[in-house]
Protein backbone atom coordinates (compact mmCIF):
# COMPACT_ATOMS: atom_id res chain seq x y z
CA UNK A 1 0.00 0.00 0.00
CA UNK A 2 2.38 2.64 -1.25
CA UNK A 3 0.08 5.57 -0.66
CA UNK A 4 -0.37 4.68 2.97
CA UNK A 5 3.38 4.26 3.46
CA UNK A 6 4.02 7.54 1.74
CA UNK A 7 1.61 9.27 4.10
CA UNK A 8 3.34 7.71 7.09
CA UNK A 9 6.71 8.93 5.90
CA UNK A 10 5.30 12.37 5.37
CA UNK A 11 3.74 12.35 8.82
CA UNK A 12 7.01 11.18 10.38
CA UNK A 13 8.93 13.92 8.53
CA UNK A 14 6.47 16.48 9.74
CA UNK A 15 6.86 15.36 13.35
CA UNK A 16 10.66 15.44 12.96
CA UNK A 17 10.54 18.88 11.38
CA UNK A 18 8.37 20.21 14.20
CA UNK A 19 10.65 18.63 16.80
CA UNK A 20 13.73 20.17 15.14
CA UNK A 21 12.06 23.56 15.00
CA UNK A 22 11.17 23.33 18.67
CA UNK A 23 14.67 22.19 19.61
CA UNK A 24 16.26 24.97 17.58
CA UNK A 25 14.30 27.67 19.38
CA UNK A 26 15.59 29.02 22.64
CA UNK A 27 13.16 28.12 25.41
CA UNK A 28 11.25 31.30 26.12
CA UNK A 29 9.93 31.65 29.66
CA UNK A 30 6.16 32.14 29.68
CA UNK A 31 5.25 35.78 30.21
CA UNK A 32 3.91 36.24 33.74
CA UNK A 33 0.13 36.28 33.80
CA UNK A 34 -0.89 39.76 35.05
CA UNK A 35 -4.29 38.43 36.08
CA UNK A 36 -2.63 35.87 38.38
CA UNK A 37 -0.68 38.73 39.97
CA UNK A 38 -3.93 40.61 40.58
CA UNK A 39 -5.62 37.53 42.05
CA UNK A 40 -2.63 37.25 44.39
CA UNK A 41 -3.52 40.67 45.79
CA UNK A 42 -6.73 39.29 47.33
CA UNK A 43 -6.47 38.11 50.91
CA UNK A 44 -8.78 36.32 53.29
CA UNK A 45 -8.00 38.82 56.06
CA UNK A 46 -8.82 41.86 53.90
CA UNK A 47 -12.03 40.25 52.62
CA UNK A 48 -13.12 39.46 56.19
CA UNK A 49 -12.24 42.98 57.36
CA UNK A 50 -14.43 44.53 54.63
CA UNK A 51 -17.38 42.32 55.62
CA UNK A 52 -16.78 43.25 59.26
CA UNK A 53 -16.78 46.94 58.29
CA UNK A 54 -20.19 46.58 56.65
CA UNK A 55 -21.70 44.87 59.69
CA UNK A 56 -21.12 47.98 61.84
CA UNK A 57 -24.34 49.27 60.19
CA UNK A 58 -26.40 46.28 61.32
CA UNK A 59 -28.84 44.91 58.75
CA UNK A 60 -28.53 48.07 56.58
CA UNK A 61 -32.26 47.93 55.87
CA UNK A 62 -33.24 50.31 53.01
CA UNK A 63 -34.90 53.57 53.98
CA UNK A 64 -33.07 53.95 57.32
CA UNK A 65 -30.23 56.08 58.63
CA UNK A 66 -28.03 52.98 59.08
CA UNK A 67 -28.53 52.19 55.38
CA UNK A 68 -27.60 55.77 54.34
CA UNK A 69 -24.52 55.67 56.59
CA UNK A 70 -23.51 52.38 54.97
CA UNK A 71 -23.80 53.94 51.47
CA UNK A 72 -21.59 56.84 52.65
CA UNK A 73 -19.06 54.40 54.16
CA UNK A 74 -18.94 52.29 50.98
CA UNK A 75 -18.37 55.43 48.88
CA UNK A 76 -15.56 56.58 51.19
CA UNK A 77 -13.91 53.16 50.92
CA UNK A 78 -14.16 53.15 47.10
CA UNK A 79 -12.53 56.59 46.96
CA UNK A 80 -9.79 55.48 49.36
CA UNK A 81 -9.03 52.55 47.02
CA UNK A 82 -8.51 54.97 44.12
CA UNK A 83 -11.93 54.40 42.54
CA UNK A 84 -12.53 58.13 42.89
CA UNK A 85 -15.16 58.70 40.17
CA UNK A 86 -18.04 57.59 42.39
CA UNK A 87 -21.57 58.44 41.32
CA UNK A 88 -25.00 57.86 42.81
CA UNK A 89 -28.31 56.71 41.41
CA UNK A 90 -31.30 58.38 43.10
CA UNK A 91 -34.81 56.98 42.98
CA UNK A 92 -38.00 56.95 45.00
CA UNK A 93 -39.10 53.87 46.87
CA UNK A 94 -42.65 54.04 48.21
CA UNK A 95 -44.11 50.60 48.84
CA UNK A 96 -47.47 51.93 50.03
CA UNK A 97 -50.06 49.49 48.77
CA UNK A 98 -47.50 47.23 47.08
CA UNK A 99 -47.35 43.58 48.10
CA UNK A 100 -44.27 42.63 50.14
CA UNK A 101 -41.49 41.07 48.09
CA UNK A 102 -39.54 37.87 48.80
CA UNK A 103 -42.46 35.81 50.06
CA UNK A 104 -42.73 32.20 48.99
CA UNK A 105 -45.56 30.48 50.85
CA UNK A 106 -44.64 26.86 51.55
CA UNK A 107 -47.02 24.49 49.85
CA UNK A 108 -47.80 20.86 50.55
CA UNK A 109 -46.58 18.48 47.86
CA UNK A 110 -47.68 14.92 47.20
CA UNK A 111 -44.91 12.29 47.47
CA UNK A 112 -43.01 12.09 44.19
CA UNK A 113 -44.50 15.32 42.87
CA UNK A 114 -41.89 17.60 41.26
CA UNK A 115 -41.30 20.67 43.45
CA UNK A 116 -40.45 23.65 41.27
CA UNK A 117 -38.75 26.52 43.13
CA UNK A 118 -38.11 30.15 42.11
CA UNK A 119 -36.54 30.64 38.67
CA UNK A 120 -37.82 27.32 37.34
CA UNK A 121 -35.39 25.14 39.32
CA UNK A 122 -36.44 21.75 40.64
CA UNK A 123 -36.04 21.20 44.40
CA UNK A 124 -35.06 17.72 45.55
CA UNK A 125 -34.37 15.77 48.72
CA UNK A 126 -35.06 17.21 52.17
CA UNK A 127 -36.96 20.44 51.54
CA UNK A 128 -37.40 23.00 54.35
CA UNK A 129 -38.95 26.47 54.23
CA UNK A 130 -36.87 29.58 53.50
CA UNK A 131 -38.51 32.39 55.49
CA UNK A 132 -37.88 36.00 56.49
CA UNK A 133 -37.60 36.75 60.21
CA UNK A 134 -39.65 39.80 61.22
CA UNK A 135 -39.50 39.30 65.01
CA UNK A 136 -37.00 41.64 66.72
CA UNK A 137 -36.98 39.52 69.88
CA UNK A 138 -35.34 36.67 67.95
CA UNK A 139 -32.16 38.79 67.90
CA UNK A 140 -30.49 37.86 71.20
CA UNK A 141 -27.94 40.73 71.14
CA UNK A 142 -29.69 43.85 72.58
CA UNK A 143 -27.16 46.24 71.01
CA UNK A 144 -27.70 44.82 67.53
CA UNK A 145 -31.47 44.66 68.10
CA UNK A 146 -31.49 48.37 68.96
CA UNK A 147 -29.37 49.19 65.90
CA UNK A 148 -31.80 47.28 63.64
CA UNK A 149 -34.94 48.76 65.24
CA UNK A 150 -35.61 52.10 63.41
CA UNK A 151 -38.03 51.18 60.60
CA UNK A 152 -37.79 51.90 56.89
CA UNK A 153 -39.44 55.15 55.79
CA UNK A 154 -40.72 55.56 52.18
CA UNK A 155 -38.96 58.17 50.08
CA UNK A 156 -35.75 58.94 48.21
CA UNK A 157 -33.08 56.27 48.03
CA UNK A 158 -29.45 56.35 46.85
CA UNK A 159 -26.94 53.74 45.72
CA UNK A 160 -23.31 54.19 44.73
CA UNK A 161 -21.04 52.95 41.94
CA UNK A 162 -17.57 53.72 40.61
CA UNK A 163 -15.83 52.78 37.38
CA UNK A 164 -12.43 51.61 36.16
CA UNK A 165 -12.20 53.34 32.78
CA UNK A 166 -10.82 51.16 29.98
CA UNK A 167 -7.87 52.49 27.98
CA UNK A 168 -8.88 50.96 24.62
CA UNK A 169 -12.65 50.64 24.95
CA UNK A 170 -13.93 53.24 27.41
CA UNK A 171 -17.25 52.95 25.54
CA UNK A 172 -17.82 49.33 26.74
CA UNK A 173 -18.01 47.83 30.22
CA UNK A 174 -18.70 44.87 32.44
CA UNK A 175 -20.81 45.58 35.54
CA UNK A 176 -19.96 43.80 38.80
CA UNK A 177 -22.73 44.09 41.38
CA UNK A 178 -23.85 43.16 44.87
CA UNK A 179 -26.60 44.50 47.13
CA UNK A 180 -25.67 46.41 50.26
CA UNK A 181 -29.09 46.33 51.98
CA UNK A 182 -30.35 43.51 54.18
CA UNK A 183 -33.25 42.33 56.33
CA UNK A 184 -33.96 39.78 59.07
CA UNK A 185 -32.68 41.40 62.32
CA UNK A 186 -29.06 40.29 62.00
CA UNK A 187 -26.00 41.96 60.45
CA UNK A 188 -26.63 40.86 56.83
CA UNK A 189 -23.06 39.54 56.98
CA UNK A 190 -23.60 36.91 54.30
CA UNK A 191 -26.70 38.48 52.65
CA UNK A 192 -25.13 40.45 51.25
CA UNK A 193 -22.08 41.75 53.11
CA UNK A 194 -20.21 38.85 51.51
CA UNK A 195 -21.02 39.97 47.94
CA UNK A 196 -20.66 43.69 48.69
CA UNK A 197 -17.18 43.11 50.18
CA UNK A 198 -16.24 41.02 47.14
CA UNK A 199 -17.14 43.82 44.70
CA UNK A 200 -15.39 46.40 46.92
CA UNK A 201 -12.22 44.28 47.05
CA UNK A 202 -12.22 43.99 43.25
CA UNK A 203 -12.69 47.77 42.98
CA UNK A 204 -9.61 48.14 45.21
CA UNK A 205 -7.46 45.81 43.12
CA UNK A 206 -8.51 47.11 39.69
CA UNK A 207 -8.04 50.73 40.91
CA UNK A 208 -4.40 50.21 41.82
CA UNK A 209 -2.31 52.78 39.88
CA UNK A 210 -0.25 50.05 38.20
CA UNK A 211 -3.31 48.33 36.64
CA UNK A 212 -4.88 49.13 33.28
CA UNK A 213 -7.78 47.42 31.54
CA UNK A 214 -8.72 47.62 27.87
CA UNK A 215 -12.44 47.58 28.70
CA UNK A 216 -14.17 49.52 31.49
CA UNK A 217 -15.45 47.81 34.66
CA UNK A 218 -18.19 49.32 36.86
CA UNK A 219 -18.51 48.36 40.54
CA UNK A 220 -22.13 48.81 41.71
CA UNK A 221 -23.52 48.38 45.22
CA UNK A 222 -27.28 48.16 44.77
CA UNK A 223 -29.80 49.28 47.37
CA UNK A 224 -33.37 47.95 47.86
CA UNK A 225 -32.63 44.41 46.63
CA UNK A 226 -34.61 42.97 49.49
CA UNK A 227 -37.77 44.88 48.55
CA UNK A 228 -37.82 43.47 45.02
CA UNK A 229 -34.64 44.52 43.15
CA UNK A 230 -35.78 48.16 43.10
CA UNK A 231 -32.30 49.74 43.13
CA UNK A 232 -30.96 47.67 40.23
CA UNK A 233 -34.24 48.17 38.34
CA UNK A 234 -33.91 51.96 38.83
CA UNK A 235 -30.40 51.83 37.37
CA UNK A 236 -31.60 49.91 34.31
CA UNK A 237 -34.56 52.27 33.79
CA UNK A 238 -32.46 55.42 34.14
CA UNK A 239 -29.37 54.37 32.19
CA UNK A 240 -30.03 51.66 29.60
CA UNK A 241 -30.74 54.19 26.83
CA UNK A 242 -27.50 56.10 27.57
CA UNK A 243 -25.29 53.14 26.60
CA UNK A 244 -22.35 53.91 24.34
CA UNK A 245 -23.10 57.65 24.03
CA UNK A 246 -20.03 59.88 24.09
CA UNK A 247 -20.76 62.91 26.25
CA UNK A 248 -19.78 65.65 25.75
CA UNK A 249 -19.33 64.79 22.04
CA UNK A 250 -15.66 64.47 21.14
CA UNK A 251 -14.55 64.21 24.79
CA UNK A 252 -13.71 60.50 24.72
CA UNK A 253 -15.92 60.15 27.80
CA UNK A 254 -18.77 57.64 27.98
CA UNK A 255 -20.91 58.14 31.11
CA UNK A 256 -22.69 54.86 30.36
CA UNK A 257 -20.48 52.49 28.38
CA UNK A 258 -22.24 49.74 26.43
CA UNK A 259 -23.04 46.81 28.72
CA UNK A 260 -21.06 43.67 27.83
CA UNK A 261 -22.38 41.77 30.85
CA UNK A 262 -23.69 42.10 34.39
CA UNK A 263 -22.46 39.80 37.16
CA UNK A 264 -24.17 39.82 40.56
CA UNK A 265 -22.67 38.42 43.79
CA UNK A 266 -25.26 37.54 46.43
CA UNK A 267 -24.57 35.30 49.47
CA UNK A 268 -21.12 33.87 48.88
CA UNK A 269 -20.16 31.93 52.01
CA UNK A 270 -22.35 29.11 53.32
CA UNK A 271 -22.51 25.73 51.53
CA UNK A 272 -22.98 23.19 54.30
CA UNK A 273 -25.12 20.90 52.18
CA UNK A 274 -28.75 19.84 52.20
CA UNK A 275 -30.68 20.00 55.49
CA UNK A 276 -30.73 16.69 57.34
CA UNK A 277 -34.12 14.89 57.47
CA UNK A 278 -34.79 16.45 60.90
CA UNK A 279 -34.04 19.96 59.57
CA UNK A 280 -30.64 20.33 61.27
CA UNK A 281 -27.57 21.30 59.27
CA UNK A 282 -23.94 20.24 59.15
CA UNK A 283 -21.95 22.61 61.38
CA UNK A 284 -19.09 22.84 58.89
CA UNK A 285 -18.61 23.84 55.27
CA UNK A 286 -19.00 20.66 53.22
CA UNK A 287 -15.74 19.56 51.59
CA UNK A 288 -17.57 19.51 48.21
CA UNK A 289 -18.70 23.15 48.60
CA UNK A 290 -18.81 24.98 45.29
CA UNK A 291 -19.54 28.34 43.73
CA UNK A 292 -22.83 28.34 41.84
CA UNK A 293 -22.73 30.43 38.67
CA UNK A 294 -26.26 30.84 37.37
CA UNK A 295 -27.78 32.33 34.22
CA UNK A 296 -31.49 32.38 33.33
CA UNK A 297 -32.30 30.06 30.45
CA UNK A 298 -35.50 31.98 29.61
CA UNK A 299 -33.70 35.34 29.27
CA UNK A 300 -33.13 37.09 25.96
CA UNK A 301 -29.33 36.69 26.24
CA UNK A 302 -29.37 33.11 27.61
CA UNK A 303 -26.86 31.63 25.15
CA UNK A 304 -24.36 34.47 25.57
CA UNK A 305 -24.84 34.32 29.34
CA UNK A 306 -24.15 30.57 29.31
CA UNK A 307 -20.87 31.18 27.49
CA UNK A 308 -19.98 33.92 29.97
CA UNK A 309 -20.75 31.48 32.79
CA UNK A 310 -18.36 28.93 31.26
CA UNK A 311 -15.68 31.65 31.19
CA UNK A 312 -16.22 32.11 34.91
CA UNK A 313 -16.10 28.34 35.55
CA UNK A 314 -12.79 28.06 33.68
CA UNK A 315 -11.45 31.09 35.58
CA UNK A 316 -12.31 29.24 38.79
CA UNK A 317 -10.28 26.23 37.54
CA UNK A 318 -7.34 28.53 36.90
CA UNK A 319 -7.44 31.02 39.76
CA UNK A 320 -9.56 29.83 42.72
CA UNK A 321 -7.46 28.05 45.33
CA UNK A 322 -9.92 25.74 47.10
CA UNK A 323 -13.47 25.45 45.79
CA UNK A 324 -14.72 24.48 42.30
CA UNK A 325 -17.55 26.17 40.38
CA UNK A 326 -20.69 24.78 38.76
CA UNK A 327 -22.98 26.37 36.17
CA UNK A 328 -26.78 26.27 36.36
CA UNK A 329 -29.60 27.68 34.17
CA UNK A 330 -32.06 29.07 36.77
CA UNK A 331 -30.68 32.45 37.95
CA UNK A 332 -33.38 34.22 39.97
CA UNK A 333 -34.21 36.60 42.81
CA UNK A 334 -31.25 38.89 42.56
CA UNK A 335 -30.14 42.16 40.95
CA UNK A 336 -28.99 40.55 37.69
CA UNK A 337 -32.64 39.84 36.85
CA UNK A 338 -33.51 43.43 35.72
CA UNK A 339 -30.47 43.27 33.39
CA UNK A 340 -31.01 39.83 31.85
CA UNK A 341 -32.99 40.95 28.80
CA UNK A 342 -30.57 43.83 28.16
CA UNK A 343 -27.16 42.10 28.43
CA UNK A 344 -25.72 38.65 29.31
CA UNK A 345 -26.31 38.38 33.06
CA UNK A 346 -25.01 36.04 35.77
CA UNK A 347 -25.35 35.51 39.47
CA UNK A 348 -22.65 33.96 41.66
CA UNK A 349 -23.75 32.34 44.94
CA UNK A 350 -22.88 29.80 47.62
CA UNK A 351 -25.75 27.50 46.48
CA UNK A 352 -28.28 27.50 43.66
CA UNK A 353 -31.00 30.04 44.45
CA UNK A 354 -34.05 28.19 43.20
CA UNK A 355 -33.29 24.52 43.89
CA UNK A 356 -31.23 24.82 47.09
CA UNK A 357 -31.59 28.15 48.90
CA UNK A 358 -35.36 28.02 48.46
CA UNK A 359 -35.30 24.47 49.90
CA UNK A 360 -33.66 25.59 53.14
CA UNK A 361 -29.95 25.08 52.44
CA UNK A 362 -29.03 28.37 54.19
CA UNK A 363 -30.88 28.65 57.54
CA UNK A 364 -29.23 32.08 58.18
CA UNK A 365 -31.00 33.55 55.13
CA UNK A 366 -32.87 36.67 56.35
CA UNK A 367 -32.44 35.52 59.96
CA UNK A 368 -30.92 37.01 63.16
CA UNK A 369 -28.12 34.43 62.89
CA UNK A 370 -26.67 36.12 59.78
CA UNK A 371 -23.95 37.84 61.82
CA UNK A 372 -20.19 38.06 61.22
CA UNK A 373 -19.30 35.92 64.25
CA UNK A 374 -21.38 32.99 62.94
CA UNK A 375 -19.00 32.13 60.09
CA UNK A 376 -15.73 30.18 60.03
CA UNK A 377 -12.73 30.73 57.78
CA UNK A 378 -13.92 27.82 55.60
CA UNK A 379 -17.10 29.84 54.98
CA UNK A 380 -15.26 33.11 54.34
CA UNK A 381 -12.90 31.27 51.98
CA UNK A 382 -15.78 30.27 49.67
CA UNK A 383 -16.49 34.00 49.26
CA UNK A 384 -12.81 34.69 48.67
CA UNK A 385 -12.74 31.96 45.99
CA UNK A 386 -15.67 33.68 44.27
CA UNK A 387 -13.63 36.89 44.33
CA UNK A 388 -10.71 35.00 42.75
CA UNK A 389 -13.08 33.63 40.10
CA UNK A 390 -14.64 36.97 39.16
CA UNK A 391 -11.29 38.76 39.24
CA UNK A 392 -9.79 36.03 37.04
CA UNK A 393 -12.66 36.03 34.55
CA UNK A 394 -13.21 39.78 34.30
CA UNK A 395 -9.49 40.57 34.46
CA UNK A 396 -8.99 38.31 31.44
CA UNK A 397 -12.07 39.48 29.50
CA UNK A 398 -11.32 43.16 30.15
CA UNK A 399 -7.64 42.80 29.20
CA UNK A 400 -6.06 43.68 32.53
CA UNK A 401 -2.37 44.57 32.41
CA UNK A 402 0.28 45.72 34.85
CA UNK A 403 2.25 48.88 34.16
CA UNK A 404 4.99 50.43 36.26
CA UNK A 405 3.46 52.53 39.04
CA UNK A 406 3.80 56.24 38.43
ZN1 LIG B 1 -29.29 38.78 48.87
Amino acid sequence: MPTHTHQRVLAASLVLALACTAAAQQPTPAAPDPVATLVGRLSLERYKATIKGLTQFGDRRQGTERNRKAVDWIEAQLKSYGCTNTERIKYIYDPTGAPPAHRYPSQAHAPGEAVIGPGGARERGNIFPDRVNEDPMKQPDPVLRALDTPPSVPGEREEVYCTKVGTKHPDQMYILGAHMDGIGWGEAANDDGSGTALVMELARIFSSPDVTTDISIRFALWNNEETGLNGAAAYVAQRKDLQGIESPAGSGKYPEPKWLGMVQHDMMMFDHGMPHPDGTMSKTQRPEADINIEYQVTSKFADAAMLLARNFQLADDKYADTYPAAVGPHMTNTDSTPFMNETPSLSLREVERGSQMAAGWDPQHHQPTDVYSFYSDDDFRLGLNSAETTLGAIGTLAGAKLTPAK
Side-chain angles (χ1 to χ4, degrees):
M1 298 196 287
T3 308
H4 194 178
T5 308
H6 186 62
Q7 282 173 343
R8 272 203 211 158
V9 171
L10 261 183
S13 313
L14 188 61
V15 168
L16 192 65
L18 286 171
C20 289
T21 308
Q25 284 172 347
Q26 292 299 316
T28 44
D33 173 7
V35 176
T37 303
L38 297 184
V39 171
R41 292 177 179 180
L42 288 164
S43 87
L44 187 63
E45 291 314 310
R46 276 210 68 121
Y47 177 60
K48 288 168 64 177
T50 307
I51 296 173
K52 182 81 181 143
L54 287 159
T55 63
Q56 70 185 293
F57 307 101
D59 66 2
R60 307 182 296 285
R61 187 184 291 262
Q62 56 77 34
T64 64
E65 187 188 4
R66 59 191 182 280
N67 174 276
R68 290 187 288 274
K69 281 183 173 173
V71 175
D72 291 344
W73 184 82
I74 290 166
E75 181 166 23
Q77 299 302 305
L78 293 172
K79 286 180 184 289
S80 78
Y81 302 155
C83 209
T84 53
N85 57 1
T86 57
E87 294 179 71
R88 292 192 182 202
I89 295 285
K90 296 183 183 178
Y91 58 97
I92 302 292
Y93 179 67
D94 183 355
T96 313
H102 277 215
R103 299 294 182 273
Y104 304 103
S106 45
Q107 297 165 347
H109 295 279
E113 182 193 351
V115 182
I116 305 301
R122 184 164 175 187
E123 299 176 10
R124 299 178 191 265
N126 306 322
I127 299 172
F128 285 86
D130 172 35
R131 296 204 177 104
V132 177
N133 173 56
E134 312 208 37
D135 178 0
M137 296 317 292
K138 289 203 171 141
Q139 176 47 257
D141 175 351
V143 177
L144 179 54
R145 192 191 313 137
L147 179 59
D148 284 349
T149 290
S152 173
V153 176
E156 190 173 75
R157 303 283 184 270
E158 297 190 12
E159 61 194 4
V160 65
Y161 61 84
C162 71
T163 309
K164 173 75 176 181
V165 178
T167 51
K168 286 193 183 153
H169 301 289
D171 57 332
Q172 303 171 17
M173 72 172 169
Y174 292 97
I175 304 172
L176 305 182
H179 71 88
M180 49 70 64
D181 66 313
I183 51 174
W185 295 87
E187 289 176 340
N190 190 21
D191 186 13
D192 187 23
S194 64
T196 301
L198 184 160
V199 171
M200 291 172 67
E201 282 295 282
L202 265 53
R204 175 178 70 84
I205 288 168
F206 279 114
S207 300
S208 174
D210 63 344
V211 177
T212 63
T213 59
D214 293 344
I215 295 169
S216 296
I217 306 170
R218 179 158 289 173
F219 307 93
L221 291 317
W222 314 116
N223 206 343
N224 273 91
E225 192 273 353
E226 299 291 5
T227 50
L229 322 178
N230 309 85
Y235 180 97
V236 171
Q238 292 181 25
R239 305 201 60 87
K240 72 181 167 72
D241 294 333
L242 306 177
Q243 288 181 70
I245 298 173
E246 188 184 39
S247 176
S251 66
K253 292 187 175 14
Y254 297 84
E256 193 66 26
K258 179 179 163 48
W259 304 346
L260 301 184
M262 153 64 186
V263 183
Q264 173 78 354
H265 304 81
D266 193 355
M267 303 181 72
M268 314 311 297
M269 304 204 296
F270 186 90
D271 189 1
H272 291 209
M274 181 183 286
H276 302 144
D278 66 357
T280 61
M281 294 293 297
S282 168
K283 298 276 185 229
T284 55
Q285 191 82 298
R286 62 179 181 139
E288 311 82 7
D290 60 4
I291 300 161
N292 292 90
I293 304 163
E294 297 184 279
Y295 66 99
Q296 177 47 260
V297 68
T298 63
S299 67
K300 185 172 168 188
F301 291 90
D303 288 355
M306 178 174 62
L307 285 175
L308 185 61
R310 291 297 175 200
N311 271 281
F312 272 67
Q313 190 181 30
L314 293 171
D316 170 88
D317 280 348
K318 196 169 175 183
Y319 297 109
D321 63 31
T322 306
Y323 298 109
V327 174
H330 301 298
M331 179 186 85
T332 187
N333 288 83
T334 195
D335 291 315
S336 38
T337 301
F339 287 88
M340 71 181 187
N341 293 322
E342 308 291 339
T343 189
S345 299
L346 301 180
S347 151
L348 269 63
R349 286 187 190 273
E350 60 197 16
V351 298
E352 291 188 353
R353 179 63 180 84
S355 66
Q356 300 175 341
M357 182 104 40
W361 285 42
D362 188 337
Q364 289 70 246
H365 188 208
H366 301 152
Q367 296 295 317
T369 46
D370 187 6
V371 293
Y372 179 86
S373 60
F374 179 87
Y375 300 97
S376 75
D377 276 3
D378 286 342
D379 301 319
F380 288 114
R381 193 172 293 104
L382 183 60
L384 183 75
N385 274 219
S386 294
E388 292 166 346
T389 298
T390 295
L391 179 47
I394 292 298
T396 303
L397 288 167
K401 293 176 191 67
L402 286 160
T403 57
K406 283 176 190 142

